Amino acid sequence: LVLPSTAFNLLGGALFGGAEGLFLTSTAAFISAIAAFGLARWLGKDYVERFILKDLDKLNQQLKLGGLSYTFASRLLPLIPYGVVSFVAGLSQIRKQDYILGTLLGTPLGLAPFVWLGSSGVQAISSHDLLPLIVSSTIIAVLIAIATWYQQHQTDVNDPDVQPLNEEK
């Protein structure tokens, strides 16, 4: 639920190969995401709603209306910790079905490069074929670069009060 999942994804690819490793890690990640979401919603949503800051109301409304796309995107971006997304979603007003569908669709796509890296690492050791390892590493680097760029440029042009996630007001 709260452990960094990257090591498990790499290990899944190394132990089970690409396709089976992706299926197993995606299944485990999905179960973990649903459990963390449910736990957060059960234990903390009422508390957060009572004491939520007005600054978060707009974000909460965006999650309520566009939860599927937000969840899907967050599952693709490797800089956002998987467990944190699950807990925050559980504390927000996101609709359960949007969260579940976004997680179900986004998880395998977000995990695939890491599972493939684990699988290609084993392949590189056994057959000395470095091309799959280089390609999977490049895909992960590109995903991290896109996620970094996205986070730094995440602003609402219609609302001058909304600042990028990494800037202070």
Side-chain angles (χ1 to χ4, degrees), residues 1-143:
L1 294 176
V2 294
L3 295 174
S5 60
T6 304
F8 294 114
N9 301 328
L10 294 169
L11 188 60
L15 293 176
F16 301 107
E20 188 177 359
L22 181 59
F23 174 77
L24 293 171
T25 57
S26 294
T27 301
F30 182 74
I31 292 168
S32 168
I34 298 305
F37 177 86
L39 185 65
R41 184 141 295 181
W42 180 56
L43 292 176
K45 186 173 180 254
D46 291 338
Y47 178 79
V48 169
E49 284 180 350
R50 263 186 278 157
F51 299 103
I52 194 164
L53 299 173
K54 291 296 176 191
D55 291 343
L56 298 178
D57 280 345
K58 184 173 180 178
L59 175 61
N60 218 358
Q61 287 303 313
Q62 289 175 340
L63 287 173
K64 189 175 182 181
L65 298 174
L68 176 61
S69 60
Y70 281 107
T71 303
F72 180 78
S74 70
R75 296 306 187 197
L76 295 178
L77 302 175
L79 293 182
I80 303 173
Y82 198 87
V84 171
V85 170
S86 301
F87 283 114
V88 169
L91 295 173
S92 75
Q93 291 182 1
I94 192 170
R95 294 182 320 166
K96 189 185 324 179
Q97 62 269 26
D98 288 347
Y99 173 78
I100 290 171
L101 187 56
T103 296
L104 188 62
L105 297 174
T107 294
L109 296 174
L111 297 184
F114 296 96
V115 172
W116 187 23
L117 180 63
S119 177
S120 61
V122 170
Q123 182 181 355
I125 291 170
S126 63
S127 70
H128 305 294
D129 183 9
L130 295 178
L131 184 60
L133 185 62
I134 293 169
V135 171
S136 61
S137 299
T138 302
I139 290 171
I140 290 171
V142 167
L143 284 174

